[in-house]
Amino acid sequence: MSDLLLQEKLVGGLKAATADSSASLRNDNQRTGNDKGKSYSRSSAARRVTNLKGVELELDEEDGTPFDKLREECGVMAVYNHSDAARLAYWGLYALQHRGQESAGIASADGQQVNDIKGMGLVSEIFTDDVLARLPGHMAIGHTRYSTTGDSALLNAQPISVESAKGLIAIAHNGNLVNLGTARERLERDGALFQTTSDSEIIIQLIAHSKQSTLVDCIADSLGQVEGAFSIVMMTRNRIFAARDPHGFRPLSMGRIAGVDGAPDTFVFASETCAFDLLHAKYERDVKPGELVMVSEDGVTSRYFNTTTEQASCVFEHVYFARPDSKIFGRWVQQSREEMGRQLARESGVPADLIVPVPDSGVTAAIGYAAESGIPFNLGLIRNHYVGRTFIQPEQRVRDFGVRMKLNPVRSLLEGKRVVLIDDSIIRGTTSRKIVRMVRAAGAKEVHLRISCPPTISPCFYGVDTPSKKDLIAANKSVAEICAFVEADSLAYLSLVGLTHACTKGEPVDGLSPGSFCTACYTGDYPTQWVDVSEILPAVAAV
């Protein structure tokens, strides 16, 4: 069945179930076209709006569009066999804060009781010493969240816990399911009562309603029924589970902390290996695509629930999401990004006096570009790291104020120079235009914009909050038209071949290959059939 026919069939079957909740959205939103299905976008002139996924967005002050960056998805963490497991989970989440700044939660277990605490805000704001003291036990799982499906209310903060005939199960999920509509509808017919609007709860409900005899079999059976992106950690009263979807869209790694004086080792799982460094844990390996790992008093065991699906790991993890000090999909992110910059210089070098990154995501690629081109590198834009997710706007409308709150040009470096600006991506183009104007206003003689990935032409359905196609500038304009829009002297993107090469160079023969990546955001070629989540489960943020 084709993607379009599948979507039409599923969406058609769900219209009755979602008619009431969809009606209010249709009244408030402008319907827009999509080449594979339907989507909705809110049109508003307000400076902050809430999108269909319940996420409040900062608006561009000139044209009412959100700032020109993709949002991270989520980070997950798990700890087994440590006397202060919740505190280790907290430290791990602290290292994963860049993957989600909206809500966070930790659940702990001592073999008998499971306790969980969740809150809105940053990890450090939620978990004080007093709060962590209320999470006893030798096991813990944690989650830091930026919502992709379901609204942003505390209701959907994770871990999510469900008590059933299979016992209590808590889950923390990074990713996005694409067949959640059919699964949820079937579960509700079978009597499932959902506590949240998050797609993550569907996995637990499938486990609770599985006909398999053992819990491990129930989990494997359930994971085989869902499609899309999921790197998950789960916890019962005495066991930890970790699993990745068969495509391996999102990263998930396993580490070990050696026991002291003959004590058993502590096992940890995290979305990125940078979390292990803070815990002094040794990286063991990645959880493999389609693999389910269980840790119990009997040790570590593993089984596969899918071995036939081709790997399609998200290449944008290397481009932007992951921290440079993490090892993702078997390769250090720092190496990939530096090679992206080098390859970008080979493909589209231009005479210039200075290489300037757009901080922070453009820094590593700019280092590579400078090394390859021989042009000096310097920090011509300084980022204010103390600007939070919101800030007070001046009463008088000031052009570019939002960007200037976050970035400030160094006139002494830029004045009279031919500057190459390096950034990781252009989404809508509005922020890129502001930065180019800012650098030019600081005295730059020429401004050449170089992007360390190909043009983003398609939305992501696997855990990244990408705008609809109509809002992606590269889906609607040529490179020359984008260059004119952002007001640069020249513009060039890294080629797709150059990107996949950068993320695989130096890998062993049996390592990653260009075909092992999902590049749908650059090609429109999706590795799974999908249904537009906003059409199936529209959600409005709680007032």
Side-chain angles (χ1 to χ4, degrees):
M1 184 182 297
S2 70
D3 292 2
L4 183 58
L5 289 176
L6 175 72
Q7 180 175 350
E8 288 176 347
K9 179 178 179 181
L10 295 180
V11 171
L14 288 167
K15 279 186 177 178
T18 61
D20 292 340
S21 57
S22 298
S24 61
L25 288 169
R26 293 190 176 98
N27 291 335
D28 294 339
N29 293 274
Q30 177 184 2
R31 179 170 292 192
T32 60
N34 187 296
D35 60 340
K36 286 193 174 183
K38 300 173 182 176
S39 63
Y40 294 98
S41 67
R42 186 179 299 275
S43 64
S44 171
R47 287 184 179 174
R48 295 187 68 82
V49 298
T50 300
N51 71 3
L52 282 178
K53 295 173 181 178
V55 181
E56 192 179 49
L57 301 176
E58 292 177 346
L59 293 187
D60 178 279
E61 294 137 14
E62 285 185 37
D63 53 16
T65 59
F67 282 123
D68 194 12
K69 282 292 179 186
L70 297 181
R71 299 278 191 143
E72 292 91 345
E73 336 78 50
C74 300
V76 299
M77 187 74 203
V79 179
Y80 181 86
N81 193 38
H82 194 278
S83 59
D84 202 0
R87 189 171 299 275
L88 264 65
Y90 162 77
W91 287 339
L93 292 181
Y94 196 92
L96 298 174
Q97 185 74 85
H98 60 286
R99 298 187 69 88
Q101 302 88 41
E102 187 174 276
S103 64
I106 296 174
S108 68
D110 58 6
Q112 299 295 325
Q113 299 294 323
V114 175
N115 299 284
D116 68 89
I117 296 174
K118 298 174 278 189
M120 302 299 290
L122 302 177
V123 174
S124 60
E125 297 169 343
I126 300 167
F127 295 103
T128 62
D129 283 340
D130 290 342
V131 172
L132 289 172
R134 291 155 49 196
L135 292 168
H138 66 284
M139 299 186 304
I141 64 173
H143 188 267
T144 183
R145 179 176 189 259
Y146 171 78
S147 68
T148 54
T149 301
D151 64 40
S152 60
L154 182 60
L155 172 72
N156 287 316
Q158 296 187 28
I160 297 171
S161 300
V162 171
E163 182 76 71
S164 71
K166 307 294 192 304
L168 188 145
I169 306 172
I171 186 172
H173 170 208
N174 172 207
N176 219 49
L177 305 184
V178 294
N179 66 334
L180 75 168
T182 50
R184 186 176 182 119
E185 185 184 49
R186 177 167 54 82
L187 285 165
E188 288 176 335
R189 284 201 306 267
D190 292 342
L193 299 175
F194 284 85
Q195 305 172 23
T196 73
T197 60
S198 170
D199 60 338
S200 309
E201 189 181 354
I202 287 177
I203 297 174
I204 288 191
Q205 292 288 0
L206 284 170
I207 295 169
H209 287 77
S210 174
K211 307 299 183 184
Q212 300 297 316
S213 55
T214 68
L215 179 60
V216 176
D217 289 335
C218 289
I219 295 174
D221 173 53
S222 302
L223 295 180
Q225 297 180 50
V226 293
E227 188 172 12
F230 56 88
S231 285
I232 58 176
V233 291
M234 292 180 288
M235 183 179 68
T236 64
R237 289 182 172 88
N238 58 2
R239 285 179 284 182
I240 290 283
F241 298 88
R244 284 177 73 199
D245 66 80
H247 288 285
F249 283 112
R250 300 286 153 221
L252 186 62
S253 299
M254 181 174 72
R256 183 195 301 255
I257 304 172
V260 179
D261 297 329
D265 294 344
T266 296
F267 291 92
V268 292
F269 297 87
S271 293
E272 293 184 34
T273 60
C274 63
F276 297 161
D277 298 335
L278 196 58
L279 306 179
H280 298 290
K282 179 184 177 182
Y283 167 77
E284 291 277 304
R285 65 178 181 89
D286 285 354
V287 176
K288 303 288 177 52
E291 183 185 18
L292 171 64
V293 178
M294 180 180 75
V295 189
S296 68
E297 60 183 7
D298 297 322
V300 179
T301 57
S302 168
R303 63 177 291 179
Y304 287 87
F305 57 91
N306 184 309
T307 58
T308 60
T309 301
E310 292 186 359
Q311 185 171 348
S313 298
C314 175
V315 75
F316 207 68
E317 290 279 356
H318 275 283
V319 173
Y320 174 69
F321 285 137
R323 266 177 38 172
D325 53 335
S326 288
K327 193 174 189 179
I328 297 295
F329 312 137
R331 180 168 173 80
W332 290 103
V333 176
Q334 177 88 6
Q335 292 178 337
S336 293
R337 290 185 187 162
E338 186 171 335
E339 183 58 30
M340 289 174 205
R342 287 182 175 273
Q343 184 64 24
L344 188 58
R346 298 183 196 115
E347 294 180 2
S348 58
V350 62
D353 304 307
L354 189 65
I355 306 300
V356 174
V358 176
D360 288 320
S361 55
V363 170
T364 310
I367 291 172
Y369 191 105
E372 185 69 24
S373 66
I375 301 171
F377 166 95
N378 215 321
L379 298 174
L381 291 169
I382 303 301
R383 180 183 172 191
N384 182 352
H385 288 266
Y386 300 96
V387 176
R389 290 170 293 166
T390 61
F391 52 83
I392 300 172
Q393 295 275 15
E395 291 185 7
Q396 182 180 1
R397 187 159 164 164
V398 180
R399 176 176 294 185
D400 299 341
F401 181 82
V403 172
R404 286 188 175 277
M405 284 284 289
K406 298 178 182 179
L407 298 174
N408 195 48
V410 183
R411 179 175 290 273
S412 61
L413 290 175
L414 301 173
E415 197 163 19
K417 301 290 179 58
R418 297 170 298 171
V419 175
V420 177
L421 274 177
I422 308 291
D423 205 354
D424 63 274
S425 59
I426 300 177
I427 306 304
R428 296 174 175 87
T430 53
T431 298
S432 297
R433 179 171 60 185
K434 291 175 182 293
I435 294 171
V436 169
R437 287 175 176 174
M438 183 189 301
V439 172
R440 207 181 292 280
K445 187 165 57 176
E446 296 175 11
V447 182
H448 302 275
L449 187 57
R450 295 293 181 268
I451 306 300
S452 61
C453 72
T456 302
I457 64 169
S458 294
C460 175
F461 300 96
Y462 307 118
V464 183
D465 192 34
T466 317
S468 61
K469 201 157 190 173
K470 75 177 185 65
D471 293 321
L472 294 170
I473 191 170
N476 301 284
K477 295 180 184 292
S478 67
V479 173
E481 289 171 331
I482 298 171
C483 182
F485 178 82
V486 301
E487 302 176 6
D489 289 283
S490 71
L491 167 66
Y493 291 84
L494 181 62
S495 67
L496 183 61
V497 172
L499 174 63
T500 55
H501 165 79
C503 295
T504 57
K505 185 176 181 180
E507 290 294 334
V509 175
D510 60 348
L512 294 177
S513 67
S516 298
F517 290 109
C518 174
T519 58
C521 52
Y522 308 127
T523 63
D525 183 14
Y526 295 93
T528 69
Q529 295 176 320
W530 57 268
V531 178
D532 192 338
V533 172
S534 63
E535 176 76 10
I536 293 175
L537 289 176
V540 179
V543 177

